Amino acid sequence: MGIAKNDIVLEIKNLNFYYGELQALININLEIKRNTITSIIGPSGCGKSTMLRCINRMNELIDDTRTEGEIFYDGRNIFDSDVDPVKLRRKIGMVFQQPNPFPKNIFDNVAYGPKMYGTRNRQKLREIVEISLKKAALWDEVKDRLLDKSLSLSGGQQQRLCIARTLAVEPDIILMDEPASSLDPIATMRIEQLLREVTDDYTIIIVTNNMQQASRISEYTAFINAKERRSGFLVEYGRTQDLFIKPQMKQTEDYISGRFG
Amino acid sequence: MKPREQYMESLRQLKNEIMKMGILVEEALSKAMKALTELDSDLAESVITEDMMINRMEIEIEDRSIALIATEQPVAGDLRHVITGMRIVTQLERMGDHAVHIAKSTLRFECKAFKKPLIDISKMAELCISMHREVLSAFMDEDEIRARNLVDLDDEVDSLHEKVQRDMFTGMVEDESFLSQALQLTYISRYLERFADHITNISEWIIYGKTGNHVDLNG
Amino acid sequence: MNQAKLEKRAMLNQESFLSSKNDNIKSEWIKGRIFLLICIVSILFGILSLAALLIYVFWDALGWLNWQFITSTPSRFASKAGIFPMLMGSGFIIMLVALFSLPLGVGTAVYLEEYAPKNLFKKFIEINISNLAGVPSIVYGLLGLGLFVSFLDLTHGTILVGALTLTLRILPVVIVTSQEAIKAVPVSHRRASIGLGTTKWQMIRSVVLPESVPGIMTGMILALAVAMGETAPLIMIGAATSIFTAPRNIHSSFSSLPLQIFAWSDFPGEGFRHGVTPAAIVVLLVILMIMNGAAIYIRHRFSRDKN
């Protein structure tokens, strides 16, 4: 796809994933470029969220699952037995579909990760909280009420708080599972704007059901389709512009033009 | 019911409208040529007034395309086809203008007969009309190969145009009274040549609409 | 508009839909009223009998319940009798029960909810725990007697044995309510923590336990209220029904408020049956109500924080 080798931050090779008997992912191969936004689109149930959760090994928390294949990150296969998933998740953060701030105050939500990593210094925590909230474009709205409950915020603010919480632990890659699906258009646009602004420092992989969102924010797009019940396979992967102007595959064309079924 | 049935229907209607406009342009050229050969100034006048319709259609189709883009957000092939449609109507509108120019030139003829029959120019017009029919059906069928093949016919038109120019030049030198007539016929030949160029432009857009690749057929 | 639509509209115009009598709304309305009446009668039965009981007890206790009654030891004379040693015994025991059952109950609940593999064995244990919560309390008394007095050779009738026995009695309730509280912590919060790169223990300590504390506390208080009112197991392990000194340490003999009530209710004499007994009952009821009130307050606070 014309991506220089050293620009690749994550390399997914022959990834297969099973929920018990059901094969949810079939032989996925993807190369994710550093400091870009990559969208993963596909019909619901095609396994795009499952693929995302393979990358930070969150799937392992689900009983009766099996992963085959390799994902190379930082020169290592993340499935190697000596890779600690906890350590991996400190580098590959995740933002979820529903905003899920802890029922703690705003400050403690953002400071949660650093505290868990052992930062005790109050001054240092305050700096981290401020920087993270600024990056997440939430600082101006909450700077005077950092000790308010996180649940007093609006849905969009809560999601930005969750993004700030993830940014606070300085990840390398951020996985986002439909982060704006429960938000109104204005809140969605703010999140999208914020994602564009943080790509200098982070690589973002975003699963979205909103194709316009994928085409608006991402440089690269992967289309995953499902065959036979719910087995996802990669149909097409490339620059977002190419995919939305002249997709190579008929399936992609049909899906993005809304002609499925 | 299939998903996005209304949308698909709008796309089809858009295409039909473009076809209708194309047929109007063809009629305009045929009429203009008939008016020329028969030196029928009434017919020439009607070509000029009927061009209003073509111009109105261009605006209508453009508005519908823009509305479709705004409301349905076409992507990929659909997007390319909508954009292609908008480009094509621009070409068609200009082709209509060329028919008008030919009609206006006809009105400027002061004499009641040609010095010699219009063989090459008629041939050019015939070529233009068959090219135009071909390009419309290639558009209808989204057939980029037929669109591409039109280049050969365009080359013929071009060489005929050169021949007409040469003939007129020698004619002008031989007979000074022929000057005004020759000048108008040169113009008309030029309009026909431009007409054919627009057809190749349409071909280019048909190819883009089908493949997403830009090509240059006039080069 | 097509023909069918026009005909339908014309038909609707003939008779107003809203004035039509042709439906079952009226009869269903009557059925609904009858059902409501049954419900009201049911609830009145409960409320009225409880009110009667309370009025009866409070009326008797009037004049007997005073500061001297709270601070005195029992006596042969109803007018001099008090409940101080039993109050202290109950308090001492409840504190110990809380101390024992909190770590045991929460520990078990955390293990079952967070660590235990989801298999048949876990299910088996859970079903057994639920069943244990329904075992008659006298059986726990027997268990306590057999386990702590006969087998472990502890002195019968002491605070320690009483507390251990009551711990056994309420442990299933504590475990089940703690499990419920832990289950109520949203999966999304756990995922958020794990996704930030925390270990399981960090997740439990910083997310699950803080969020389930109100639920655990509520269950704990309600279970302790049950322990507070227990009589039969304490009789089984040989607790005194009446005692003249407050317990000093965990090895002291003791009596508890319900035991004293049980004893007094059997005494001859109007002063005991219609004086000190109701007065002690009122004290016990007030304590239980305060405990239940505390549980309701915590639950209320919790649900308000959630939203």
Side-chain angles (χ1 to χ4, degrees), chain C residues 162-232:
Chain C
L164 287 172
T165 307
L166 288 182
T167 300
L168 286 182
R169 165 73 182 89
I170 66 161
L171 206 46
V173 182
V174 175
I175 292 170
V176 171
T177 49
S178 301
Q179 268 185 286
E180 291 306 321
I182 289 169
K183 257 187 226 159
V185 177
V187 181
S188 64
H189 293 170
R190 295 163 203 266
R191 286 207 187 130
S193 178
I194 292 293
L196 283 165
T198 60
T199 62
K200 187 161 201 174
W201 165 235
Q202 285 182 314
M203 185 262 286
I204 292 172
R205 179 179 51 128
S206 61
V207 174
V208 176
L209 287 181
E211 287 187 41
S212 53
V213 156
I216 292 173
M217 288 298 291
T218 307
M220 193 70 207
I221 290 170
L222 291 176
L224 288 177
V226 170
M228 184 86 198
E230 274 302 354
T231 319

Side-chain angles (χ1 to χ4, degrees), chain A residues 3-20:
Chain A
I3 305 172
K5 209 69 186 161
N6 56 350
D7 281 347
I8 291 164
V9 64
L10 204 69
E11 192 179 358
I12 301 173
K13 275 189 162 174
N14 305 324
L15 183 72
N16 288 285
F17 185 81
Y18 303 84
Y19 287 110

Side-chain angles (χ1 to χ4, degrees), chain A residues 83-194:
Chain A
V83 172
D84 183 352
V86 172
K87 213 169 201 167
L88 178 76
R89 289 174 201 135
R90 292 185 178 193
K91 281 317 214 179
I92 305 182
M94 191 162 205
V95 175
F96 300 82
Q97 184 172 1
Q98 293 289 330
N100 58 351
F102 299 123
K104 305 173 189 287
N105 63 43
I106 294 166
F107 183 93
D108 285 343
N109 261 282
V110 183
Y112 179 83
K115 270 188 194 165
M116 289 292 126
Y117 295 6
T119 306
R120 288 273 165 272
N121 183 329
R122 197 76 190 158
Q123 187 52 40
K124 178 84 187 122
L125 285 175
R126 236 183 304 234
E127 280 169 24
I128 293 173
V129 168
E130 181 172 342
I131 291 168
S132 307
L133 284 172
K134 277 180 177 164
K135 278 187 189 167
L138 189 60
W139 176 251
D140 290 335
E141 290 159 62
V142 301
K143 63 181 177 213
D144 301 322
R145 48 181 185 133
L146 289 175
L147 298 181
D148 280 9
K149 285 269 175 200
S150 61
L151 298 159
S152 65
L153 299 174
S154 73
Q157 288 174 322
Q158 285 187 22
Q159 193 60 300
R160 277 180 282 148
L161 178 66
C162 292
I163 292 171
R165 183 176 64 184
T166 303
L167 295 179
V169 303
E170 289 293 320
D172 201 14
I173 301 173
I174 303 172
L175 309 175
M176 300 196 156
D177 191 356
E178 297 180 42
S181 65
S182 63
L183 306 179
D184 66 67
I186 304 287
T188 302
M189 290 299 161
R190 298 195 72 150
I191 301 257
E192 287 181 9
Q193 181 57 31
L194 134 73

Side-chain angles (χ1 to χ4, degrees), chain C residues 11 21 35 43 47 57 67 75 106 128 164 167 176 195 198 204 207 211 253 255 277 286:
Chain C
M11 219 170 76
K21 298 270 186 292
F35 184 72
I43 194 169
I47 288 176
V57 172
W67 191 242
S75 165
V106 175
N128 272 292
L164 287 172
T167 300
V176 171
T198 60
I204 292 172
V207 174
E211 287 187 41
S253 322
S255 181
T277 304
V286 167

Side-chain angles (χ1 to χ4, degrees), chain B residues 30 58 82 87 93-94 104 108-110 116 123 126 152 155 172 180 194 203 216:
Chain B
S30 303
E58 183 205 10
V82 173
R87 297 300 186 168
E93 191 272 332
R94 285 186 196 156
K104 282 185 179 164
R108 280 192 213 107
F109 278 110
E110 284 148 8
K116 59 172 191 165
K123 212 184 271 175
E126 270 165 36
D152 301 339
D155 288 346
M172 272 188 269
S180 142
R194 291 298 303 139
S203 295
D216 186 3

